[in-house]
């Protein structure tokens, strides 16, 4: 172990000899590319980036960081809006080159490497007419979404992403590769399903798949109005689980199906995914039309993967993001009033609010059956600012924090970890509720030194 200079030429040569992928350091031609992350708010300069080709590379990176006292960041599909996928003067294990997916159509499972995005995953599984709950933007990584819980367009029917996880390969803090499932290392398997990246680096995930081929998908826009939100709340309570709708507030986008007079004006909408039979499509469209005056609609039959790409072009890498989130048992009239008030003052075209339903299959898993603790919540809101100019950071962060404070009287104590930002560390215990102490026990077993601390951290 080199305790005086962790990045001597000899130590880096040793690391390069242990890694099949790339080892990138400052001064290398591709260093700026290697250190870049999705959220431009986090402009960090790692000492080393290990672009892993396989689990062996991950082990080498973890051991190097541990043995040389370097802070360790883990990057999966590379969104990591809170910025935990990078670090100043530390080591980044970048799994994004590890993107293989192997589908077993007979068993209805898929094994996916930890750097996969949901676009990678959906492409592979759709060839067999199968899918599982994944992100609503295809560039989202499977790892971060699943480890935090995983809400998406199939959640009401098939549960969260973590509810469909059946096995995982994990590199722990001592460099051991552990395979866990309901029988092997069940405590670790339990903790991974909602407990975030606290316990190790997941190099592959095995998911349960479901028959999903074409869906009725798209978006419907209405004028921004509290009555539309209240009507949507009633729709969620009474609609079949095959119908997943996400309530959004945005400034009207420049899209051909939205009249020009609505471009740039506050609107609300429903991102829709109906995975039921085509014979029910007309009924679903009628339900959407009843929520309020429709000002623009693009909803049609499409392959399931497509519904998760509808907003990819609007959210490219390199924008500035600051998010908050919460859970609520009900979407109260008071909460709706707050949302509509802030929806009317969205500070940029890229900013939005999204309210996800959490019910149906999500509620058929008990609050202590996985680390995802808020099984009594019916809604989860994600809100905040996304913008192009760093000069707007301070004002937009202040706007988001004010929005968050205004919602607190109408929501539960905590929020979904995947919507939390770096200044939400004081909410971690509340985020995990009754499961927090058990998670600490698992953390002490697999990471007693808190090597994996760049996350919404559960201290050992």
């Amino acid at each position: 172990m080199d305790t005086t200079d962790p990045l001597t030429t000899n130590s880096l040569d040793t690391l390069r000899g242990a890694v099949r992928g790339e080892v990138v350091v400052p001064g290398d031609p591709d260093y700026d590319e290697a250190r870049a992350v999705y959220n431009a708010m986090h402009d960090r300069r790692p000492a080393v980036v290990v672009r892993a080709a396989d689990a062996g590379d991950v082990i080498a990176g973890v051991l190097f960081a541990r043995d040389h006292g370097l802070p360790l960041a883990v990057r999966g599909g590379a969104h990591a809006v809170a910025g935990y996928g990078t670090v100043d003067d530390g080591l980044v294990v970048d799994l994004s080159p590890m993107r293989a997916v192997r589908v077993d159509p007979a068993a209805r499972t898929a094994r996916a490497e930890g750097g996969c995005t949901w676009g990678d995953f959906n492409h592979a599984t759709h060839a067999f007419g199968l899918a599982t709950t994944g992100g609503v933007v295809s560039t989202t990584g499977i790892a971060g979404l699943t480890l935090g819980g995983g809400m998406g367009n199939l959640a009401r029917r098939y549960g969260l992403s973590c509810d469909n996880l059946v096995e995982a390969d994990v590199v722990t803090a001592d460099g051991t590769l552990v395979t866990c499932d309901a029988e092997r290392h069940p405590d670790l398997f339990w903790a991974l399903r909602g407990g975030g990246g606290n316990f190790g680096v997941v190099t592959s995930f095995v998911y349960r798949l479901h028959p999903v081929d074409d869906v009725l998908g798209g978006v419907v826009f209405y004028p921004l109005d509290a009555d539309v939100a209240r009507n949507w709340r009633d729709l969620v309570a009474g609609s079949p689980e095959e119908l997943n709708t996400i309530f959004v507030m945005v400034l009207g986008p420049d899209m051909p199906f939205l009249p020009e007079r609505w471009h740039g004006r506050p609107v609300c909408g429903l991102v829709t995914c109906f995975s039921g039979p085509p014979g029910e499509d007309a009924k679903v469209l009628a339900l959407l039309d009843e929520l309020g005056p429709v000002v623009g609609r693009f909803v049609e039959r499409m392959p399931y993967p497509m519904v998760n790409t509808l907003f990819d072009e609007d959210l490219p890498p390199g924008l500035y993001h600051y998010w908050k989130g919460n859970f609520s048992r009900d979407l109260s009239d008071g909460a709706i009033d707050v949302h509509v008030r802030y929806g009317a003052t969205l500070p940029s075209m890229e900013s939005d609010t999204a309210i996800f339903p959490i019910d149906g299959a999500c509620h058929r898993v008990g609050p202590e059956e996985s680390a995802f603790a808020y099984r009594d919540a019916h809604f989860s809101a994600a809100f905040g600012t996304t913008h192009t100019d760093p000069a707007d950071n301070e004002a937009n962060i202040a706007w988001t924090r004010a929005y968050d404070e205004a919602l607190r009287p109408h929501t539960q104590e905590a929020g979904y970890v995947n919507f939390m930002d770096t200044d939400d560390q004081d909410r971690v215990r509340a985020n995990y509720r009754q499961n927090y102490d058990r998670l600490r026990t698992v953390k002490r077993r697999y990471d007693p030194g808190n090597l994996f601390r760049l996350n919404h951290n559960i201290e050992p």
Side-chain angles (χ1 to χ4, degrees):
M1 181 187 304
D2 184 346
T3 58
T4 57
D5 182 358
L7 296 182
T8 63
T9 300
N10 286 341
S11 63
L12 287 172
D13 285 347
T14 300
L15 178 61
R16 290 189 179 99
V19 169
R20 289 185 61 224
E22 299 177 74
V23 175
V24 184
V25 298
D28 287 348
D30 53 350
Y31 175 71
D32 283 336
E33 176 188 346
R35 73 181 183 89
V37 292
Y38 179 79
N39 185 357
M41 196 81 76
H42 306 287
D43 184 18
R44 308 270 168 76
R45 300 190 67 83
V48 190
V49 178
V50 175
R51 288 172 154 174
D54 53 29
D57 288 359
V58 174
I59 292 171
V62 168
L63 290 177
F64 189 88
R66 185 198 68 178
D67 292 346
H68 293 82
L70 292 173
L72 174 64
V74 181
R75 185 186 307 163
H79 269 201
V81 169
Y84 292 127
T86 186
V87 62
D88 282 324
D89 302 320
L91 185 145
V92 175
V93 172
D94 180 5
L95 279 74
S96 60
M98 298 174 56
R99 298 173 67 167
V101 182
R102 184 173 184 274
V103 180
D104 183 339
R108 287 187 177 174
T109 60
R111 178 179 295 276
E113 291 184 320
C116 286
T117 66
W118 285 105
D120 300 325
F121 187 90
N122 292 337
H123 172 78
T125 60
H126 183 69
F128 302 94
L130 299 169
T132 201
T133 304
V136 297
V137 178
S138 76
T139 55
T140 302
I142 67 169
L145 190 85
T146 302
L147 294 175
M151 290 180 282
N153 283 315
L154 298 175
R156 298 188 72 223
R157 186 174 185 184
Y158 294 124
L160 305 173
S161 302
C162 70
D163 298 336
N164 290 283
L165 184 67
V166 296
E167 182 184 300
D169 289 337
V170 187
V171 176
T172 57
D174 62 359
T176 302
L177 181 66
V178 171
T179 298
C180 64
D181 56 23
E183 303 297 330
R184 296 169 291 179
H185 301 278
D187 57 340
L188 180 59
F189 183 64
W190 172 86
L192 293 177
R193 290 174 292 145
N198 278 282
F199 311 99
V201 185
V202 182
T203 58
S204 70
F205 299 78
V206 179
Y207 294 93
R208 181 183 305 109
L209 302 177
H210 310 276
V212 179
D213 196 353
D214 288 351
V215 298
L216 180 70
V219 63
V220 184
F221 286 121
Y222 314 86
L224 180 61
D225 189 279
D227 284 341
V228 178
R230 285 190 282 266
N231 291 339
W232 173 70
R233 177 184 62 193
D234 296 339
L235 171 70
V236 172
S239 61
E241 293 176 4
E242 293 87 352
L243 177 58
N244 200 92
T245 51
I246 302 167
F247 183 86
V248 297
M249 298 187 304
V250 296
L251 299 179
D254 182 3
M255 292 181 172
F257 64 90
L258 185 66
E260 186 176 354
R261 68 180 182 275
W262 288 99
H263 293 179
R265 292 176 58 184
V267 294
C268 60
L270 293 188
V271 179
T272 301
C273 178
F274 175 63
S275 57
E280 299 292 321
D281 287 0
K283 181 179 178 181
V284 169
L285 292 172
L287 290 172
L288 301 179
D289 287 347
E290 291 170 3
L291 299 186
V294 174
V295 299
R297 184 175 79 181
F298 171 72
V299 182
E300 61 183 35
R301 276 276 150 180
M302 61 181 65
Y304 170 71
M306 186 179 295
V307 78
N308 291 327
T309 66
L310 296 177
F311 305 102
D312 285 4
E313 292 184 3
D314 299 320
L315 295 168
L319 301 179
Y320 295 81
H321 304 264
Y322 181 78
W323 291 2
K324 294 293 181 186
N326 58 53
F327 290 122
S328 59
R329 292 189 181 91
D330 187 20
L331 188 62
S332 69
D333 287 348
I336 288 172
D337 290 343
V338 172
H339 283 302
V340 170
R341 185 166 77 247
Y342 279 86
T345 63
L346 285 164
S348 69
M349 288 296 296
E350 298 84 8
S351 299
D352 73 285
T353 290
I355 306 176
F356 294 74
I358 310 175
D359 62 350
C362 302
H363 283 183
R364 291 195 284 275
V365 178
E368 298 179 6
E369 290 182 46
S370 71
F372 187 90
Y374 278 79
R375 299 290 179 168
D376 62 338
H378 283 77
F379 298 95
S380 179
F383 52 93
T385 54
T386 297
H387 50 278
T388 59
D389 188 346
D392 296 330
N393 286 353
E394 186 175 345
N396 286 352
I397 288 172
W399 181 90
T400 305
R401 287 174 175 167
Y403 190 173
D404 183 45
E405 286 298 319
L407 281 170
R408 292 289 179 98
H410 308 287
T411 61
Q412 293 173 282
E413 183 180 4
Y416 177 42
V417 293
N418 287 347
F419 298 155
M420 299 286 101
D421 219 296
T422 51
D423 55 0
D424 286 310
Q425 285 290 344
D426 61 339
R427 301 177 72 183
V428 170
R429 178 181 284 273
N431 289 348
Y432 292 113
R433 222 179 188 178
Q434 73 278 353
N435 293 331
Y436 182 78
D437 289 339
R438 183 178 173 188
L439 285 165
R440 287 194 69 192
T441 298
V442 179
K443 177 74 169 179
R444 283 193 293 268
R445 178 174 181 183
Y446 292 96
D447 184 20
N450 206 12
L451 180 65
F452 302 110
R453 60 184 177 273
L454 294 180
N455 45 49
H456 295 293
N457 192 231
I458 299 166
E459 296 183 0

